[in-house]
Amino acid sequence: HTEEIQPSAEQMEEYMIQWQHWLENIESQGKLSEGGNHLSKEGRVVNSNKDVVNEPYTHNKLSIPGYILILANDFDDAVEIAKACPILNGEGNSVEVRQVS
């Protein structure tokens, strides 16, 4: 059983500053396609039998808090950009890289 660790208000403010600087750096390289969007904690899941679950999909109690769309040359380029994401400064956090078609 892993207890969820919540950052303090001061830590959240610092994370937001770091996030903004990271986005500005990507944008200055002409690689930001869409700004950082944060997904709400509220959501619905529609199952194949058309049943609706009134909470967002989570895997192992983890969720996707936000995303950005970038213009990368290839997966390696996208991974290098992702490695600088300040989200990775938090223990146990991760960044997922996917191609959008």
Side-chain angles (χ1 to χ4, degrees):
H1 182 308
T2 305
E3 188 172 311
E4 189 174 336
I5 299 171
Q6 294 295 321
S8 67
E10 293 81 16
Q11 287 171 318
M12 283 302 296
E13 184 176 339
E14 181 61 29
Y15 294 159
M16 291 309 297
I17 291 168
Q18 292 171 359
W19 175 262
Q20 190 60 41
H21 286 158
W22 182 64
L23 290 178
E24 288 168 358
N25 182 44
I26 296 169
E27 186 173 34
S28 73
Q29 297 174 47
K31 294 185 175 185
L32 185 63
S33 176
E34 186 176 314
N37 296 298
H38 297 277
L39 305 177
S40 72
K41 293 181 180 178
E42 183 179 344
R44 307 290 185 273
V45 176
V46 180
N47 294 316
S48 61
N49 62 4
K50 307 300 189 271
D51 284 343
V52 177
V53 179
N54 289 324
E55 53 187 59
Y57 171 77
T58 59
H59 178 69
N60 295 334
K61 305 237 183 245
L62 302 176
S63 65
I64 302 170
Y67 67 92
I68 63 169
L69 297 177
I70 62 171
L71 304 170
N73 298 323
D74 51 33
F75 262 104
D76 290 337
D77 187 27
V79 167
E80 285 306 310
I81 292 169
K83 284 180 180 178
C85 180
I87 296 298
L88 296 174
N89 294 335
E91 185 177 340
N93 289 346
S94 63
V95 173
E96 185 172 345
V97 178
R98 292 190 186 193
Q99 182 174 354
V100 178
S101 53

